[in-house]
Amino acid sequence: MVSEEEELISESPMPVAAEEYFDDFFFNFAANRKLQLERIKFPLKLTDGDETTRIEKKQWQMDYFFMRQGYYTQIFDNQQQMDLAKDSTVDHVMLERINFSSQRVQRYDFHRKNGRWQLTQVFNESIEHNANASFLRFYSQFVADSAFQQQSLNDVVTFSSPSPDNDFETQTGEIVPEQWPMFKPELIPHGTIYNIMYSRPVEGSNQKIFVTRGVANGMEAQMIFRKRAGHWRLVHFDSL
């Protein structure tokens, strides 16, 4: 059932300025039924392994992606990839829907041509074939298993979080694995996560920056993991 707010968004034209950055476009695309239909290249090519099918416009069902869960996630290799979110020259972005239950990934390819973003193709694949497979296997266990979390911490983990005495100030510090239960941030989600990629992952990267952002509430959390001797470990987290 469509809410009054969603109906209002669907009737509102997208600001022209929203084409400049993919994030601004996508929030409109995922909430505006009319815009979504206009910005999909039909028949939409869907590739699943060796099989390719095409989805006609009349077959498409509105996809709200992460809008209704209130937050979204991103996985980066480094700060340079994070900075691309505010690079107006980026014209190809990939969005992944990663389902830990089914061990499948849906990748949506968006291109900007003549100043207009458009969904051009969808790919389905096993998590094992994903560029972030090693980290995704680790993270699915890390977020769900408290004992595994403590085993997967660096000897010293640095952190920053809101001060308990002043919401407008930040406290920083260090913890050892034994202190994790007292300081650990809320770990979400553990069923389906999303990943917005402004460039392809670095092959063999030994660092992953996992970011969780609220859709409308300004919430942001960040965890930095590094792979050492074949094992991923949390080295830093921010909870803002």
Side-chain angles (χ1 to χ4, degrees), residues 82-172:
M82 295 179 69
D83 292 342
L84 288 175
K86 294 303 178 185
D87 184 342
S88 61
T89 66
V90 172
D91 57 10
H92 177 209
V93 175
M94 295 160 284
L95 181 140
E96 294 179 326
R97 177 189 278 127
I98 303 161
N99 189 309
F100 289 128
S101 298
S102 66
Q103 292 289 293
R104 302 287 292 174
V105 178
Q106 279 187 306
R107 193 187 88 211
Y108 300 80
D109 275 27
F110 291 85
H111 290 84
R112 182 169 55 181
K113 187 175 182 180
N114 298 324
R116 289 164 57 91
W117 285 103
Q118 186 178 43
L119 172 60
T120 57
Q121 195 166 356
V122 180
F123 296 86
N124 288 337
E125 66 178 4
S126 164
I127 282 181
E128 289 303 312
H129 295 144
N130 188 268
N132 285 320
S134 168
F135 177 74
L136 292 174
R137 283 195 304 271
F138 159 80
Y139 184 77
S140 65
Q141 185 174 358
F142 180 85
V143 74
D145 185 335
S146 58
F148 183 71
Q149 288 167 23
Q150 284 196 259
Q151 297 167 12
S152 304
L153 302 179
N154 199 39
D155 291 340
V156 175
V157 179
T158 58
F159 75 93
S160 63
S161 63
S163 169
D165 302 317
N166 188 330
D167 292 339
F168 298 99
E169 293 184 357
T170 300
Q171 64 175 354
T172 60

Side-chain angles (χ1 to χ4, degrees), residues 17-31:
E19 301 281 10
E20 187 171 9
Y21 300 110
F22 176 79
D23 288 11
D24 293 339
F25 157 77
F26 186 77
F27 291 144
N28 282 274
F29 177 85

Side-chain angles (χ1 to χ4, degrees), residues 61 118 129 198-199 221 227:
Q61 294 184 348
Q118 186 178 43
H129 295 144
Y198 309 96
S199 65
K227 195 174 188 180

